[in-house]
Amino acid sequence: MLNSMLGLFSQDMAIDLGTANTLVYVKGRGVVCNEPSIVAVQHDRKGNRNIVAVGDQAKSMLGRCPQDIQAIRPLKDGVIADYQLTEEMLRYFIEKVNGRRNFVAPRMVICIPYGTTEVEKRAVRDSAESAGAREVHLIEEPLAAAIGADLPITEPTGNMVVDIGGGTTEVAVISMSGIVYSRSIKVGGDHLDEAIINHLRRRHDLFVGPRTAEDIKIQLGNASSDFPFREMIVKGRDLVRGFPRTVTVHSDEIREALEEPIRLIIEAVTGSLERTPPELLGDIVDRGIIMTGGGSMLSDLDTAISQTTGLPVIVADDPLSAVVKGSGRALEEMDYLRMMS
Ligand SMILES: Nc1ncnc2c1ncn2[C@@H]1O[C@H](COP(=O)(O)OP(=O)(O)OP(=O)(O)O)[C@@H](O)[C@H]1O
Ligand SMILES: [Mg+2]
């Protein structure tokens, strides 16, 4: 009773704390914040860390800051790598959405990767509480992704969701509101960027940063030879002479550069299908595989997975916000809250 009255004054929110992006959903308002999970910190002489910028502003500093400032991603490979900065980042997003004025602490649903350990869960909970949450519920990413992609997860039918984020790819088979089988690999969009950086270094003697690599991935990256040939001019530093140089890069070489991480992603899907109980497998054959997460937007990745598995593959509408929308629905519909810890 008291809780529901408090709810009238505070802005209850759902947060997708991702390796690449953090999204915030506010009850009744939808997705209100979507920024990179990056914090820029400045080290003073005593070795203290002061936060200079968070989110979009910090991303624009990536690879461009003076020596005493560092742009850091507090989450790596889907888990928290730096607790203190994660907490500061959460606090920033919560204050941005909630305003400092609000005197009632919000309830929060936070989405975490499947397989997060108890210690890591505790850390997320503590961060959210010290950042101002009144009540914290955790939801696992595959469930949130499935709810956000509108899959009928409460029914006794099998649904397969493949979420390709920045740090991880999670494959899950869900039925009756539970995860029947799940596999998570530490391969995601970041690793595709790294593969592009390595390729340019080896093939072209060119050094580029992660932002340029991501740009190339979005424009030229692809997973099927059906992809139309495309070229792009890339600026970087000549590794031999140290000068700036431009190179023309084409889509076929980028596809080759991405082959290995993409093979691992496809293997995670086929391996999961092999371990899915037969009745649920039948459902998946009928309904297809649903993809969410930014990585699912790589050109023709859906085609490649469909060709390998022989199953229909559907990329969710707005794959980048499926997880936060699913977490938001869990916040709004108490039935779902029972599935959370
Ligand atoms: N059009 C696109 N094509 C290919 N990749 C893309 C595209 N748009 C975004 N991405 C990639 O999607 C990834 C981010 O996806 P998302 O926001 O779902 O990750 P995340 O939830 O932060 O990470 P995780 O779930 O692993 O913690 C980045 O690697 C980004 O480069
Ligand atoms: Mg994610």
Side-chain angles (χ1 to χ4, degrees):
M1 173 66 183
L2 177 65
N3 254 349
S4 64
M5 275 174 62
L6 287 175
L8 294 175
F9 298 105
S10 70
Q11 307 217 49
D12 290 344
M13 55 179 87
I15 301 180
D16 170 10
L17 189 57
T19 309
N21 299 298
T22 298
L23 285 80
V24 184
Y25 174 104
V26 170
K27 200 168 170 174
R29 281 169 59 201
V31 181
V32 295
C33 174
N34 176 0
E35 294 193 42
S37 309
I38 302 179
V39 184
V41 295
Q42 185 166 33
H43 295 266
D44 65 16
R45 288 210 187 102
K46 289 183 189 146
N48 297 321
R49 300 195 295 185
N50 300 311
I51 296 191
V52 184
V54 181
D56 285 322
Q57 223 191 336
K59 183 168 188 178
S60 65
M61 297 179 178
L62 207 63
R64 290 203 178 109
C65 4
Q67 273 191 341
D68 60 335
I69 298 182
Q70 234 186 327
I72 298 176
R73 295 173 61 168
L75 291 104
K76 198 160 168 37
D77 296 337
V79 296
I80 298 181
D82 187 320
Y83 293 115
Q84 193 201 349
L85 288 186
T86 300
E87 186 179 319
E88 298 280 1
M89 188 173 78
L90 265 180
R91 189 189 304 277
Y92 167 88
F93 288 124
I94 292 167
E95 274 176 7
K96 182 165 180 182
V97 168
N98 215 20
R100 280 165 196 265
R101 296 163 276 107
N102 216 314
F103 61 97
V104 183
R107 277 191 324 169
M108 266 179 223
V109 170
I110 300 184
C111 178
I112 49 165
Y114 181 67
T116 301
T117 64
E118 286 307 315
V119 175
E120 288 163 349
K121 283 184 190 170
R122 186 73 250 165
V124 174
R125 222 181 260 285
D126 288 349
S127 292
E129 280 166 4
S130 70
R134 161 166 52 105
E135 211 181 281
V136 183
H137 299 272
L138 303 179
I139 183 168
E140 285 171 321
E141 190 159 18
L143 277 179
I147 298 170
D150 276 331
L151 299 184
I153 62 157
T154 52
E155 290 167 22
T157 13
N159 298 280
M160 177 174 273
V161 30
V162 179
D163 180 83
I164 308 172
T168 56
T169 293
E170 294 184 322
V171 185
V173 177
I174 298 166
S175 174
M176 297 175 70
S177 307
I179 295 174
V180 178
Y181 175 82
S182 169
R183 169 182 292 203
S184 175
I185 56 166
K186 293 195 186 306
V187 178
D190 291 349
H191 306 85
L192 302 186
D193 300 347
E194 276 163 28
I196 291 174
I197 292 174
N198 291 337
H199 166 80
L200 293 176
R201 186 181 287 152
R202 262 183 263 142
R203 179 79 58 88
H204 298 284
D205 279 332
L206 192 76
F207 180 59
V208 299
R211 285 185 49 146
T212 303
E214 183 183 30
D215 220 31
I216 298 172
K217 173 180 72 179
I218 292 173
Q219 296 198 41
L220 300 182
N222 68 94
S224 156
S225 49
D226 296 342
F227 186 80
F229 185 86
R230 247 184 239 167
E231 286 181 331
M232 178 178 166
I233 293 171
V234 175
K235 297 193 199 89
R237 183 172 59 209
D238 188 292
L239 275 173
V240 183
R241 297 186 308 156
F243 295 152
R245 184 160 65 96
T246 58
V247 165
T248 304
V249 177
H250 56 80
S251 48
D252 289 352
E253 63 177 298
I254 297 301
R255 181 175 59 252
E256 265 172 44
L258 299 180
E259 248 167 29
E260 179 58 14
I262 285 180
R263 188 183 62 78
L264 294 171
I265 291 173
I266 296 180
E267 257 179 34
V269 177
T270 52
S272 304
L273 287 168
E274 281 162 17
R275 284 168 188 76
T276 301
E279 302 292 349
L280 298 179
L281 199 56
D283 298 336
I284 296 167
V285 169
D286 293 340
R287 317 171 64 92
I289 298 170
I290 310 293
M291 292 213 290
T292 61
S296 70
M297 292 194 288
L298 185 84
S299 300
D300 290 340
L301 181 56
D302 50 349
T303 315
I305 296 179
S306 180
Q307 279 167 357
T308 311
T309 59
L311 299 179
V313 176
I314 304 126
V315 178
D317 292 342
D318 199 1
L320 280 164
S321 56
V323 166
V324 81
K325 283 188 182 150
S327 310
R329 251 181 84 191
L331 178 74
E332 295 192 349
E333 294 171 33
M334 291 305 277
D335 281 354
Y336 284 123
L337 276 177
R338 283 192 226 114
M339 297 166 5
M340 297 184 258
S341 47

